[in-house]
Amino acid sequence: MAVLNKIRQRSVFLIIIIALALFSFVLADLFRNGGAISQKAENAIASINGKDIDRTEFAKKVELASRSFGGGTSSIQAVNYVWNQEVKETVFEEQFEELGIIAGEDQVNQLLEESLATNPTFQNEAGVFDKAKMKEYVANVKATSKEAYQQWLDFEVNVSKGAKEQIYLNMIKAGVGATLKEGELQYRMENDNVDIKYVQLPFSAIEDAKVEVSDAEIKSYIDKHASQYKAEPSRSIRYVLFNEVASKEDENQVKSEIASLLEDKVEFNAATKGTDSVLGFKNTDNAKEFVNQHSAIKFDDSFKFKKDLPSTVADTLYNLQIGSVYGPYKDGDYIKISKIVAQKQMSDSVQASHILVSWEGLGTARDTKRTKEEAKVLADSILKVTKADKTKFATLAKEFSADNSNKDKGGDLGYFTPGTMVTEFNNYCFENKTGDQGVVETQFGYHVISIEDQKNEQKTIQLATVAQKIEPSEKTINNIFTETTKFQISAKDKDFEEVAKGNELTVRPVNNIKELDENIPGLGARRSIVQWAFNEESKVGDIKRFDIPEGYAVVQLTAKADKGVMAVADASPVVKPILLKQKKAEMLKSKMSGSSLDAIAQGQGQTVKVASALNMKTPTISGAGTEPKVVGTAFALEAGKISTPIVGNNGVYVIEVTKKTPASGLDNYMSYASQLSKAQAGAVSTKVFEALKEAAEIEDRRSKFY
């Protein structure tokens, strides 16, 4: 009680202390996160020229892009797509505002019409875009669907932005062009010719091993050309894989379990309190039901040619009698037992023609308004006519078939193998004879089918196969996890490479991973590993285990590189060949001495070669390759003169001009000037965006959220 009284007496003091503690906690959190300004920044996925890109809105666009692209696109690909759209929109919008560019209503309407011209919703009976149809559609969605109407408004906004972009780019294109003089130059480059004799000493004449390029020389070259060797932040890792694969013991267990299905057995029946005799796979009368009850792969009722059977057991299975059983046997990741259910003769390919009769509601219907019942009546009528007179099949196909890919060929589908067509169509063609005609219904409509030809009739078999996948047992999975954990602990205390070697594991290095990469060679899309490697708290030498579908990957961070100039090791694969070529060029130039080409060639064990009709547009020398410097020198050299050594793409050359043939010239070079203007205007869109993007101040924080 005394303690409680003291607390009550000092209650005001305690409240003040608690308040101060809470206040300091809030302040500490603000300082730790950079304050209120940082909180605002955390809600922005990027900043482009001072404009924040809200991450919530960005995420919505990414989700929309992912849905529109379908399942074949990864999340990071959708992120990059939306990012490019955001950057483009932002940098262009700044230009529009600065220049006062607006899109007029007429221009927007024109672009709307162009965008929707092929959409049937906005076409009249003649298949032509109808403004009234568009207005009717807008009025309808406005009245019935708030979401659909908002999508339409967003579409109009995007069209308006496209109109402004068109105006902006057209203004730039108006200032891009070529003069008649440039047109004449283009003509000369294409049509002026020169003939030469030359001696070439190829770079390959000197082995790379005989030329030394030091790291210091590579570093010096990088420093002199720093703008060409910029480096984005990167990380390097190495990893080992622990795959959860089934052991031999697991495989034998599956084999034992599936073998037990072969024979009859007696099982206790809880309902009758007695025992029942259960037929095994060998003696069952209903193989299909047995397979569907016991197999990981459901019963397949198709007939197989020998070539379609597992190669390791094809001969055995193909030659079994009906009712015979074979197995257990291994086929890929499965243990199987197979029973021959039936066999028959079947062609390995069929040629057929068809007339597809569709009805309203099917994807093949297009403009037809007929019902399914009417389609069936029409198909039966066509069949009746073609059975009476086969020569009318092609004419009727052209008139009635909904399959545009072959209606003009009389409905001819050519030859196809079993399983190529949908099941109902396939079964009719392979179960009937040449000359037969009939009507079959599929998901595409009613098909009037005519079997034109059947080839290579041979025996096929129908198999009932019970299959169980070979998978790691719980014991195996636990053992693999234990091995992974032991390695992870050991690698933290010892050298990663040595521990892996001691455990007979392969270490796989991955260098220069970029911040927004998602694929790790050998592992596939593993964004979580990239994010960990770029986490500020991850240090060089750190090790982490990652769950992957195949098991585990134990990863070590081996290097960090910040934004700047490429390191020697990273730039070496590009820079070293350049320096090798430079050094070889000096060595080869020193060997090229002599007063004539013959003397130079003889001194180096080479021959004098000839190249005719060279031009500067396509500076390719027969026997030497593309050599613009050599051809350019030839045009600047007087006939009969010998050049000094020229360093080309593929070697060092000395040339002599034997003949110059100037083109006759044109009265007007407008056509060439126009071609140049068109080519330059065509590149405007891409080059302008790249220039604006390069000039923009962009703070990209995508990697923190994706």
Side-chain angles (χ1 to χ4, degrees):
M1 289 295 292
V3 173
L4 287 173
N5 284 331
K6 287 182 180 179
I7 290 174
R8 289 191 188 101
Q9 291 167 7
R10 293 168 173 79
S11 60
V12 175
F13 177 73
L14 284 172
I15 289 170
I16 293 171
I17 292 295
I18 292 169
L20 287 171
L22 288 171
F23 184 63
S24 64
F25 177 78
V26 172
L27 281 177
D29 188 61
L30 278 173
F31 282 121
R32 185 165 55 250
N33 292 295
I37 295 173
S38 178
Q39 291 297 314
K40 179 185 176 184
E42 284 299 312
N43 291 323
I45 198 164
S47 175
I48 305 171
N49 286 341
K51 177 189 174 183
D52 286 339
I53 306 299
D54 182 77
R55 70 185 180 100
T56 304
E57 289 301 314
F58 188 89
K60 289 179 182 176
K61 292 177 181 178
V62 169
E63 185 180 350
L64 184 63
S66 296
R67 285 204 302 267
S68 64
F69 291 146
T73 303
S74 68
S75 60
I76 205 70
Q77 286 174 316
V79 166
N80 291 338
Y81 169 79
V82 174
W83 169 252
N84 286 329
Q85 295 298 107
E86 290 288 334
V87 173
K88 184 176 182 180
E89 182 178 320
T90 302
V91 296
F92 270 108
E93 197 61 45
E94 285 185 349
Q95 296 297 305
F96 303 156
E97 290 179 10
E98 187 176 334
L99 298 172
I101 294 174
I102 59 172
E105 184 179 348
D106 290 342
Q107 185 178 10
V108 173
N109 287 336
Q110 178 63 33
L111 288 175
L112 278 172
E113 184 175 335
E114 291 174 5
S115 301
L116 303 171
T118 57
N119 191 321
T121 305
F122 307 102
Q123 292 176 345
N124 58 24
E125 292 75 10
V128 178
F129 177 80
D130 191 332
K131 289 183 180 178
K133 289 264 188 182
M134 183 179 75
K135 290 180 180 179
E136 180 184 341
Y137 170 82
V138 175
N140 183 51
V141 296
K142 185 176 182 180
T144 59
S145 173
K146 183 179 179 181
E147 183 180 349
Y149 182 59
Q150 184 57 51
Q151 289 176 350
W152 173 262
L153 293 177
D154 292 341
F155 175 63
E156 281 189 333
V157 169
N158 286 331
V159 170
S160 178
K161 288 176 181 176
K164 288 190 282 187
E165 184 178 326
Q166 194 177 81
I167 294 169
Y168 176 71
L169 293 176
N170 284 341
M171 290 169 62
I172 296 174
K173 287 176 183 178
V176 172
T179 64
L180 291 176
K181 201 65 181 173
E182 289 172 318
E184 182 181 0
L185 177 61
Q186 183 70 12
Y187 168 80
R188 293 291 176 193
M189 289 183 70
E190 291 182 19
N191 296 284
D192 285 357
N193 290 329
V194 65
D195 300 345
I196 65 170
K197 293 190 297 184
Y198 69 94
V199 176
Q200 179 205 36
L201 295 185
F203 292 127
S204 58
I206 302 174
E207 294 179 16
D208 289 354
K210 293 182 178 179
V211 183
E212 188 175 326
V213 176
S214 67
D215 287 350
E217 289 173 315
I218 294 173
K219 178 68 167 62
S220 176
Y221 185 90
I222 295 169
D223 291 341
K224 290 176 182 177
H225 305 84
S227 62
Q228 298 175 31
Y229 297 95
K230 292 179 180 178
E232 294 300 317
S234 66
R235 300 290 184 267
S236 295
I237 63 169
R238 55 184 175 182
Y239 69 89
V240 293
L241 273 178
F242 290 85
N243 288 322
E244 287 183 343
V245 293
S247 65
K248 193 66 180 176
E249 183 182 346
D250 296 332
E251 183 178 324
N252 290 334
Q253 179 63 31
V254 176
K255 190 177 291 185
S256 174
E257 289 173 0
I258 206 164
S260 70
L261 298 173
L262 289 168
E263 307 296 341
D264 300 345
K265 63 181 71 173
V266 176
E267 292 183 348
F268 176 73
N269 189 321
T272 63
K273 307 297 183 183
T275 57
D276 293 336
S277 180
V278 180
L279 294 177
F281 191 52
K282 285 182 179 179
N283 298 321
T284 182
D285 295 325
N286 193 333
K288 178 179 179 180
E289 183 180 322
F290 193 96
V291 168
N292 289 338
Q293 182 179 350
H294 297 284
S295 178
I297 303 173
K298 296 306 178 186
F299 181 78
D300 178 4
D301 63 359
S302 64
F303 283 78
K304 307 288 186 184
F305 294 98
K306 185 178 179 180
K307 65 180 179 62
D308 300 323
L309 302 174
S311 58
T312 54
V313 294
D315 287 332
T316 303
L317 291 176
Y318 193 70
N319 293 311
L320 289 176
Q321 299 300 312
I322 294 175
S324 298
V325 175
Y326 178 74
Y329 62 92
K330 186 177 180 182
D331 181 21
D333 294 331
Y334 290 87
I335 299 294
K336 296 179 176 180
I337 48 177
S338 295
K339 186 175 189 176
I340 309 302
V341 178
Q343 66 180 43
K344 67 177 180 180
Q345 295 296 114
M346 190 168 75
S347 300
D348 68 0
S349 62
V350 169
Q351 181 189 14
S353 301
H354 82 137
I355 300 169
L356 176 61
V357 181
S358 189
W359 60 84
E360 188 174 17
L362 294 181
T364 54
R366 295 182 179 84
D367 298 328
T368 185
K369 299 296 182 184
R370 72 172 69 96
T371 64
K372 182 177 180 180
E373 292 74 20
E374 290 170 339
K376 182 66 166 69
V377 171
L378 176 58
D380 289 340
S381 299
I382 293 172
L383 178 64
K384 186 175 180 180
V385 173
T386 59
K387 275 190 170 183
D389 185 355
K390 177 60 170 42
T391 61
K392 293 184 178 180
F393 198 97
T395 304
L396 292 171
K398 190 169 185 178
E399 182 178 355
F400 291 106
S401 184
D403 188 349
N404 290 329
S405 66
N406 54 62
K407 62 186 296 183
D408 292 331
K409 301 175 185 176
D412 184 15
L413 294 164
Y415 285 93
F416 51 89
T417 55
T420 304
M421 303 298 181
V422 290
T423 304
E424 302 85 356
F425 196 105
N426 179 86
N427 291 346
Y428 182 87
C429 293
F430 285 92
E431 291 175 2
N432 292 283
K433 300 296 182 184
T434 300
D436 286 353
Q437 296 183 44
V439 174
V440 169
E441 180 185 349
T442 75
Q443 67 207 57
F444 303 106
Y446 289 113
H447 304 259
V448 181
I449 302 173
S450 173
I451 302 175
E452 311 294 350
D453 188 24
Q454 294 173 316
K455 285 185 175 181
N456 304 325
E457 189 174 275
Q458 54 192 280
K459 185 181 85 172
T460 60
I461 60 173
Q462 187 184 57
L463 284 174
T465 298
V466 178
Q468 291 295 338
K469 193 169 186 181
I470 305 167
E471 294 182 312
S473 63
E474 186 175 345
K475 177 184 175 182
T476 300
I477 290 171
N478 289 337
N479 288 341
I480 293 168
F481 178 79
T482 301
E483 290 175 19
T484 306
T485 305
K486 285 180 180 178
F487 174 85
Q488 188 179 358
I489 293 170
S490 297
K492 284 181 179 179
D493 300 327
K494 303 174 184 177
D495 182 75
F496 191 93
E497 190 89 35
E498 288 182 8
V499 176
K501 189 176 181 180
N503 286 274
E504 297 182 347
L505 297 167
T506 302
V507 177
R508 308 184 190 196
V510 183
N511 298 323
N512 299 318
I513 300 169
K514 299 299 184 289
E515 206 166 6
L516 284 167
D517 285 351
E518 62 175 339
N519 287 309
I520 304 294
L523 294 177
R526 295 288 172 263
R527 183 69 189 144
S528 58
I529 295 178
V530 178
Q531 288 176 314
W532 168 76
F534 277 90
N535 191 306
E536 292 179 2
E537 295 179 2
S538 298
K539 305 290 189 295
V540 172
D542 283 359
I543 294 172
K544 185 176 174 68
R545 182 184 68 235
F546 291 88
D547 292 351
I548 60 173
E550 301 82 10
Y552 306 97
V554 179
V555 185
Q556 183 178 50
L557 182 60
T558 56
K560 285 185 172 186
D562 296 326
K563 186 175 182 178
V565 178
M566 292 174 71
V568 169
D570 296 332
S572 183
V574 177
V575 175
K576 189 173 181 179
I578 296 172
L579 297 180
L580 278 172
K581 188 181 284 189
Q582 289 179 357
K583 290 194 171 189
K584 286 183 180 183
E586 293 305 313
M587 295 166 69
L588 294 172
K589 282 165 68 176
S590 65
K591 295 180 179 182
M592 285 188 147
S593 59
S595 57
S596 68
L597 291 183
D598 289 329
I600 295 171
Q602 189 174 358
Q604 297 302 317
Q606 299 290 327
T607 58
V608 177
K609 298 176 183 177
V610 175
S612 303
L614 303 177
N615 67 69
M616 287 192 284
K617 178 71 182 296
T618 51
T620 302
I621 301 174
S622 176
T626 303
E627 293 291 3
K629 287 184 180 179
V630 178
V631 175
T633 302
F635 274 95
L637 201 65
E638 292 181 19
K641 296 288 186 180
I642 297 176
S643 72
T644 56
I646 308 161
V647 179
N649 292 330
N650 304 301
V652 177
Y653 302 77
V654 173
I655 66 171
E656 179 183 341
V657 175
T658 57
K659 182 182 178 183
K660 285 187 174 182
T661 311
S664 57
L666 300 174
D667 294 334
N668 189 295
Y669 297 97
M670 180 59 74
S671 61
Y672 281 87
S674 296
Q675 288 176 17
L676 285 173
S677 296
K678 190 177 291 184
Q680 291 172 10
V684 163
S685 181
T686 302
K687 289 186 176 181
V688 166
F689 173 55
E690 289 302 321
L692 292 174
K693 184 179 177 181
E694 183 70 23
E697 292 183 8
I698 299 175
E699 186 180 348
D700 185 358
R701 293 188 285 273
R702 282 178 291 164
S703 62
K704 296 184 182 298
F705 303 99
Y706 293 95

